[in-house]
């Protein structure tokens, strides 16, 4: 079945930038709405960003608006998350979610596929 693989996480300092990548097993998957979520230990999975299949519309969680940018590179079968001005509060495992089922796009259960996650740690 469809496989998603996140990469690009690491340990950075507050104020730094980082770009995450999500590679899908099939190019056609990137034609669907895809999203990024994150989850810190003990917390629920939190919506970060979403991009429509056409790339014409994006949305972001309140805590990352103005700092993060989601984009897609269909030719490379990838979706990116550019994270700027990172804060300690951004520390979490970041997950790529694929194939939106419909409904609210900030709800984890509305996506069919998930990657294994990539750790982002921001030290203050």
């Amino acid at each position: 079945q469809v496989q998603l693989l996140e990469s690009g996480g690491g340990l950075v300092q507050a104020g730094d930038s980082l770009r995450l990548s999500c590679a899908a097993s099939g190019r056609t998957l990137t034609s669907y709405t895809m999203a990024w979520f994150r989850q810190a230990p003990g917390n629920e999975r939190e919506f970060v960003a979403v991009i429509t299949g056409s790339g014409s519309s994006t949305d972001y969680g309140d805590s990352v608006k103005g700092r993060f940018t989601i984009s897609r590179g269909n030719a490379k079968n990838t979706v990116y998350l550019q994270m700027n001005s990172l804060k300690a509060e951004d520390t979490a495992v970041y997950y790529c979610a694929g194939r939106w089922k419909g409904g609210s796009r900030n709800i984890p259960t509305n996506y069919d596929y998930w990657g294994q996650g990539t750790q982002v740690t921001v030290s203050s």
Side-chain angles (χ1 to χ4, degrees):
Q1 58 180 351
V2 175
Q3 180 71 33
L4 301 177
L5 180 62
E6 303 94 339
S7 62
L11 174 63
V12 298
Q13 295 183 344
D16 286 352
S17 297
L18 203 60
R19 187 178 75 164
L20 305 183
S21 298
C22 173
S25 61
R27 181 175 179 176
T28 56
L29 184 64
T30 62
S31 67
Y32 295 92
T33 295
M34 299 186 70
W36 287 94
F37 289 79
R38 66 187 183 185
Q39 188 168 23
N43 294 341
E44 296 183 354
R45 192 160 295 189
E46 176 189 16
F47 169 73
V48 175
V50 63
I51 185 167
T52 59
S54 65
S56 62
S57 181
T58 59
D59 195 18
Y60 300 90
D62 290 339
S63 63
V64 305
K65 287 181 179 178
R67 299 188 297 119
F68 290 10
T69 302
I70 187 171
S71 62
R72 62 192 317 135
N74 291 333
K76 297 181 179 180
N77 199 28
T78 53
V79 175
Y80 303 101
L81 183 68
Q82 178 66 46
M83 305 184 295
N84 298 326
S85 302
L86 284 164
K87 306 175 181 179
E89 293 76 21
D90 296 318
T91 296
V93 176
Y94 283 71
Y95 297 92
C96 178
R99 207 171 79 172
W100 173 61
K101 301 177 183 179
S104 297
R105 288 184 284 207
N106 63 343
I107 303 298
T109 55
N110 287 340
Y111 294 84
D112 282 328
Y113 302 104
W114 294 85
Q116 294 299 306
T118 184
Q119 177 70 48
V120 173
T121 302
V122 184
S123 61
S124 60

